[in-house]
Amino acid sequence: MGRYLLTALRVSLLTIVLVGVLYPLLITGLGQLCFPFQANGSLLTTGGTLRGSALIGQPFSAPGYFHPRPSAAGAGYDPLSSGGSNLGPTSQVLHDRVAADVAQARTDNPGLDTVPADMVTTSASGLDPDISPANAYAQAARVAQARGVPAMDITALVTRCVTGRQWGFLGEPRVNVVHLNQALDAAYGATGR
Amino acid sequence: MIWGIAQLVLFFAVIAALTKPIGLYMARVYAGERTWLDPVLRPVERLTYRLAGIDPEREMRWTSYTLALLAFSVVSAFLLYLLLRLQGVLPLNPAHVPGMPSDLAFNTAVSFVSNTNWQAYAGEQAASYLTQMAGFAWHNFMSAAAGLAIAVALMRGLTRHTAQEIGNFWVDLVRSVLYILLPISILLALVLISQGVIQNFAPYHTATTLTGTTQVLPMGPVASQEAIKELGTNGGGFFNANSSHPFENPTPLSNLLEMLAIFLLPAGLTYTFGRFAKDQRQGWALFIAMALLFACGLAVIYGYEQAGNPVLAKLGVEQHLSALQPGGNMEGKEVRFGIANSALFATITTDTSCGAVNSMHDSFTPLAGGMAMLNIAFGEVVFGGVGSGFFGIIIFAILAVFIAGLMVGRTPEYLGKKIESKEMKMAMLYVLISAASILGFSALAVMLPAGLAGRLNAGPHGLSEILYAYTSGTGNNGSAFAGISANTPFYNLTIGLAMLIGRFLTIVPLLAIAGSLGAKKTVPATSGTFPTTGGLFVGLLVGVILIVGALTFFPAYALGPVVEHFLMHAGRLW
């Protein structure tokens, strides 16, 4: 057995160097060389200030902004506590939370036709940057009113911000809330908060 | 649902198309033949043997092979344990993560050496960059390589004629890493970076959000680990949210590639097996049985998740699929993946021993979550873990030919090897050890306050959380009904034991079968031999897997997912 343990130790140390150190360093080098923006977190910077990542959702609650999905990550969109609610389908807590969010959505968006599922459910990561197009269109009237802009213009902005299926068929159509709100601010000024 | 179904079909078509080329390549690697990577890798391989003092020409009997595997597992687990305890004072720790307490470090070391990657910790808070790469990513490579080695040793046992040796463990291990896992991981990691998976050693960034609040963005060498995490069916996420985290899985394309990586090697192994058996139909028969079980599991999970949660429907939530929203049960799912790609990922990750998740299984509707659990409980033989899926399905194949033999009163044979009492005892041991661990530990947990305290959800769903935890641990899966508070001494210890039992107590009987079959004569097929290539065998194999799984676990599931399903429709909440 001693002979096996010694070989095991030698193989361990050699492979740690190879796949535990050299391999990640190689990938880091190549990644930084070929795709530096992505490898560093798709960071959004305006005027030298780091504003977040294009891939990570942010909390918005003012009526003049589009709201992201509810988040179970920490106090909401905390990337240090990524994760879902893990509430089961028959959870009273889930039922009560969704009931409250449905009521809130109806108060915030008078004349709301239906409540899209993703508007009142938490995502898996708690950092989902996207909402469904249905969710975005449902909020357009509220945003328009808060900003004093014709609803048609906001709806058109949403339509421009919809990301289609990748390569035309992969995944789901979606709207990145951070992008959408950035576009709002760019078009109408950061006055909606 | 056309878009959804089209994506599911596309995924499987790609896997089916890749099975032959990757299987053929692996067959060459394990036969020690030249590959096109030899000019680069052959010198590295030789150097490794020389520095480690390995004689690549010397083959081992099954006992030596097992000892080598166990020695490697003990040493590598111990090294990881040390790293976890000491990470606070070691370099590459910009977030100042402290060392892990002993019970968590034990659980985590066992988790990675057993290819489980159960995570009782949250990566962004509890693991330094050094731990992630030199600890976790390294184990991801080695535990997958060990699984491949065992599978190949079993293939040799099944197909050699009166041979005492089943290969050299060190050679199988090193060649798996160098020729298979490393090159594919490099390619995959680079494509993942192009999609937005991060790869850097920067400290965590503090951002000022658009509304002026602060948000801390964790960084790290994620892509290099993400690639091997999927390819090696390991599943341990860099971040707590695993493959649902936008930095681990940012786009539908990264999602597709990660899913393909999980199935790639297990599917390929069926072809490698056909090559070893010198009869490709033997491999395709296993592939087809696996494909059938995959399709059934997927249909259940996709169907129930797309149907949504009736409790939310009553609150006026619109869960119907439309051109503008994925609909369905979106609690615990990401919009970019919707229902189809979440259901597909959940099926793949539980069919194999991967355990990476892109949606939270705890929030699945009862029967969809139950199906995910059942996939693991079947023994993860639907393509299965890298290596472990193959040897798992061989156990069921042995059971299937045994039952066929009983029906006609002949000694059963598989690939010309007579299946006798020793093989049957070992096969039954393999099946019973897993079931005893899952049900035994779950029973213990529901009887003890320390076990019951871990539940997040009450009612039958709470039982499902506990059952899933031990199913996942024993099956070396690593996914969870993650509401459970598993980072307690009780769960760290018992799930740690379940993972050890599920990996090592099943491998020993398995290698014993490899050794005893290898030593036997290969008898030529006669008109009385039950063919293991046709539809009858496939049907029997699927039947055996379903019956063994159903009979073993139905009583427990009746109290968990099944009763929850009916009570959910009756409007009962907890």
Side-chain angles (χ1 to χ4, degrees):
Chain A
M1 194 67 194
R3 189 165 50 87
Y4 291 116
L5 288 172
L6 188 65
T7 311
L9 186 63
R10 285 168 161 188
V11 171
S12 292
L13 296 177
L14 288 167
T15 47
I16 286 178
V17 171
L18 184 69
V19 299
V21 178
L22 294 179
Y23 158 72
L25 290 180
L26 172 75
I27 300 298
T28 308
L30 290 173
Q32 293 290 336
L33 195 70
C34 307
F35 310 104
F37 175 73
Q38 292 95 318
N40 290 319
S42 308
L43 299 176
L44 302 170
T45 314
T46 51
T49 314
L50 180 63
R51 306 311 300 267
S53 163
L55 298 176
I56 305 285
Q58 297 185 4
F60 295 94
S61 53
Y65 279 117
F66 285 89
H67 298 172
R69 303 177 63 190
S71 162
Y77 290 93
D78 176 4
L80 292 179
S81 311
S82 66
S85 73
N86 288 312
L87 295 171
T90 56
S91 158
Q92 184 75 49
V93 181
L94 175 71
H95 172 274
D96 295 351
R97 191 202 77 206
V98 172
D101 284 349
V102 167
Q104 185 69 44
R106 294 207 176 277
T107 317
D108 288 350
N109 305 284
L112 184 65
D113 189 18
T114 56
V115 179
D118 67 291
M119 189 184 253
V120 291
T121 49
T122 61
S123 62
S125 64
L127 306 174
D128 196 344
D130 301 316
I131 54 178
S132 68
N135 184 347
Y137 287 121
Q139 299 184 48
R142 181 199 75 228
V143 172
Q145 198 191 12
R147 291 190 174 242
V149 182
M152 242 171 53
D153 294 3
I154 300 293
T155 307
L157 184 73
V158 170
T159 305
R160 277 203 300 283
C161 287
V162 170
T163 310
R165 295 177 199 273
Q166 199 168 7
W167 293 355
F169 61 92
L170 287 176
E172 302 288 332
R174 58 203 186 274
V175 184
N176 183 308
V177 180
V178 181
H179 279 167
L180 178 60
N181 283 331
Q182 256 191 331
L184 262 183
D185 279 353
Y188 307 107
T191 54
R193 63 181 68 161
Chain B
M1 286 174 88
I2 291 294
W3 285 106
I5 290 170
Q7 294 185 57
L8 309 183
V9 171
L10 170 85
F11 165 81
F12 197 75
V14 176
I15 279 297
L18 288 174
T19 295
K20 180 175 174 183
I22 193 74
L24 215 50
Y25 176 73
M26 285 195 284
R28 292 187 69 87
V29 169
Y30 292 116
E33 292 168 18
R34 265 190 77 81
T35 68
W36 60 278
L37 287 168
D38 266 39
V40 186
L41 293 178
R42 192 72 186 133
V44 183
E45 188 189 355
R46 285 214 193 92
L47 184 68
T48 309
Y49 295 149
R50 206 169 66 229
L51 293 177
I54 296 165
D55 175 8
E57 304 302 325
R58 215 177 59 87
E59 292 216 345
M60 299 169 168
R61 301 165 76 98
W62 81 268
T63 42
S64 304
Y65 202 96
T66 311
L67 279 178
L69 168 84
L70 293 178
F72 182 73
S73 302
V74 168
V75 168
S76 59
F78 181 69
L79 289 175
L80 178 57
Y81 180 83
L82 278 185
L83 180 59
L84 294 171
R85 297 285 282 158
L86 298 175
Q87 63 178 357
V89 294
L90 292 171
L92 280 180
N93 184 11
H96 305 292
V97 172
M100 280 189 187
S102 58
D103 62 319
L104 182 58
F106 160 76
N107 182 281
T108 307
V110 167
S111 168
F112 277 81
V113 77
S114 61
N115 196 256
T116 309
N117 296 28
W118 172 266
Q119 297 175 287
Y121 61 92
E124 53 269 60
Q125 291 173 351
S128 73
Y129 292 170
L130 184 70
T131 300
Q132 295 272 16
M133 53 191 261
F136 297 160
W138 169 58
H139 264 274
N140 284 351
F141 275 97
M142 303 320 289
S143 64
L148 283 167
I150 299 161
V152 172
L154 181 61
M155 285 184 204
R156 294 196 186 106
L158 282 166
T159 54
R160 284 183 177 178
H161 182 66
T162 57
Q164 293 300 324
E165 284 87 22
I166 54 173
N168 181 316
F169 173 73
W170 305 114
V171 172
D172 290 340
L173 189 77
V174 169
R175 286 184 73 83
S176 299
V177 171
L178 284 180
Y179 289 86
I180 298 169
L181 300 172
L182 190 56
I184 304 176
S185 293
I186 291 174
L187 277 181
L188 180 59
L190 288 177
V191 184
L192 289 177
I193 296 175
S194 80
Q195 292 300 298
V197 179
I198 61 176
Q199 179 74 23
N200 60 59
F201 288 96
Y204 293 7
H205 293 308
T206 305
T208 309
T209 63
L210 297 188
T211 51
T213 59
T214 53
Q215 191 182 44
V216 178
L217 297 171
M219 293 283 124
V222 177
S224 55
Q225 184 161 336
E226 192 70 21
I228 185 62
K229 160 190 145 189
E230 316 294 2
L231 185 68
T233 62
N234 294 282
F238 197 97
F239 302 111
N240 188 46
N242 209 299
S243 287
S244 71
H245 196 297
F247 280 163
E248 286 199 27
N249 192 0
T251 66
L253 178 60
S254 67
N255 191 58
L256 175 66
L257 291 171
E258 289 180 16
M259 294 190 297
L260 289 171
I262 298 173
F263 261 13
L264 179 67
L265 300 181
L269 277 178
T270 62
Y271 196 88
T272 309
F273 173 58
R275 201 77 185 165
F276 268 81
K278 298 193 174 60
D279 181 1
Q280 288 308 145
R281 290 173 308 162
Q282 300 285 355
W284 287 119
L286 299 184
F287 183 96
I288 290 166
M290 291 170 167
L292 287 173
L293 287 164
F294 165 73
C296 295
L298 179 59
V300 169
I301 295 181
Y302 187 28
Y304 280 108
E305 287 304 284
Q306 189 66 64
N309 181 347
V311 176
L312 301 195
K314 265 184 224 152
L315 292 172
V317 177
E318 177 59 48
Q319 297 180 93
H320 288 102
L321 169 74
S322 77
L324 294 179
Q325 68 148 337
N329 176 25
M330 282 299 286
E331 182 71 16
K333 293 192 183 62
E334 303 280 301
V335 169
R336 61 191 178 283
F337 306 138
I339 302 297
N341 282 299
S342 298
L344 180 58
F345 203 113
T347 308
I348 291 166
T349 203
T350 53
D351 276 346
T352 64
S353 73
C354 185
V357 294
N358 79 349
S359 59
M360 293 301 150
H361 296 185
D362 210 348
S363 296
F364 276 23
T365 49
L367 292 184
M371 189 66 229
M373 180 151 51
L374 191 58
N375 278 337
I376 306 173
F378 280 152
E380 290 156 342
V381 292
V382 183
F383 299 100
V386 168
S388 62
F390 173 78
F391 56 70
I393 197 125
I394 291 298
I395 294 287
F396 283 105
I398 288 175
L399 289 178
V401 293
F402 174 71
I403 289 169
L406 282 185
M407 285 193 259
V408 294
R410 267 182 62 100
T411 308
E413 291 162 17
Y414 189 55
L415 301 183
K417 300 280 188 179
K418 281 203 172 356
I419 305 296
E420 291 167 302
S421 83
K422 179 174 180 198
E423 290 78 33
M424 282 316 297
K425 278 181 198 155
M426 292 297 152
M428 282 318 295
L429 209 54
Y430 182 97
V431 172
L432 291 175
I433 283 172
S434 302
S437 170
I438 294 171
L439 296 173
F441 279 119
S442 297
L444 187 69
V446 296
M447 285 190 297
L448 294 177
L452 290 171
R455 296 168 303 162
L456 172 73
N457 289 281
H461 202 80
L463 175 64
S464 300
E465 282 182 344
I466 291 172
L467 266 176
Y468 197 105
Y470 291 107
T471 308
S472 173
T474 306
N476 296 150
N477 185 276
S479 68
F481 272 15
I484 197 161
S485 301
N487 186 12
T488 63
F490 174 78
Y491 277 110
N492 279 334
L493 183 69
T494 51
I495 295 175
L497 288 174
M499 292 189 284
L500 284 175
I501 291 169
R503 176 79 168 181
F504 296 105
L505 283 193
T506 56
I507 279 176
V508 176
L510 198 102
L511 285 170
I513 292 178
S516 94
L517 286 182
K520 290 186 188 195
K521 284 187 297 208
T522 307
V523 296
T526 64
S527 60
T529 307
F530 176 55
T532 51
T533 51
L536 191 60
F537 171 72
V538 170
L540 196 61
L541 179 57
V542 169
V544 166
I545 293 170
L546 290 178
I547 290 167
V548 169
L551 287 183
T552 312
F553 297 104
F554 184 76
Y557 286 17
L559 299 172
V562 176
V563 77
E564 190 190 8
H565 170 77
F566 289 111
L567 291 173
M568 174 180 77
H569 281 279
R572 180 81 204 273
L573 299 175
W574 284 272

